[in-house]
Amino acid sequence: MEDIGTVDYFKCSNCGFTFSKTHASLSPERWAKLNLDVHAFMEDPAAEKKGNQPPYLEQAAMIKILIEHGLINGTNMLDYAAGHGTLSRVLEKYFQLHLPIFDEYVTDGDVKRYILKENLGLYNTVINSAMFEHVLTREDLDKVNQLVTDDGALILHTVICENVPADPEWFYFRPPVHTAFHTNKSMSILMQQWGYASSLYCPTAKCWILLKKDTDSIAASVAQINLELQKEYLMYTKGFVDYWKGF
């Protein structure tokens, strides 16, 4: 943060959602450069890791399982804000699933893997891994949801907990591109505003699956998956699964 300076955070007194006014005040050029620098650092195998990468293999396995049980539609998917497209590569190589990707700041490897901004459409399943903590405005979040079909699913990987601690040493404050911090209550409100009926949580993939439609078959499918894997692999509830209470 040394070239940004002191970071000021604001917290909603109703739901606890917390955001950085300092980051929101950066110029678009400075914000874009910060994202590029951090992406490059995290993808460099020689770099000392100061944060946790998403569990890509576990996410890919989860997506395959959800598709096989009809919980999401895998025929028309998009990984939004995909960065270097690691999840897409893992899905293609180990699960033979094609996952197109979009990122506003990064392209890596074969550019044909990326969808241009002007070519974005509607998708049955939109995946968003480690971006919800990087947004500057509500519009940034709405752009993701607006890509989901009326009967689709939105898969999220981020930290969502009961309360955002007023602790400058909290691990999620440390990465210099983390700007927004969601709570169980704020995500429940967001789900309602966006029209999602139910959700799943997968602890191993650290992902929430928000579902626009809720049917009786969802609970049965989750029970079958958990029985097959002999563990509580998925959790299901109407509304938002408030799994994390603290750290």
Side-chain angles (χ1 to χ4, degrees), residues 167-174:
D167 177 5
E169 294 303 314
W170 188 45
F171 78 104
Y172 227 52
F173 284 142
R174 297 183 68 82

Side-chain angles (χ1 to χ4, degrees), residues 20-28 30-31 136:
S20 164
K21 186 175 183 298
T22 303
H23 284 83
S25 299
L26 293 176
S27 69
R30 185 66 192 86
W31 174 238
L136 300 179

Side-chain angles (χ1 to χ4, degrees), residues 64-95:
K64 176 68 172 178
I65 290 170
L66 293 172
I67 291 171
E68 289 297 314
H69 286 266
L71 290 168
I72 63 171
N73 187 331
T75 60
N76 184 27
M77 300 191 294
L78 175 74
D79 190 355
Y80 186 94
H84 292 258
T86 303
L87 177 60
S88 177
R89 286 194 178 103
V90 172
L91 268 175
E92 192 85 46
K93 181 171 183 177
Y94 296 106
F95 297 94

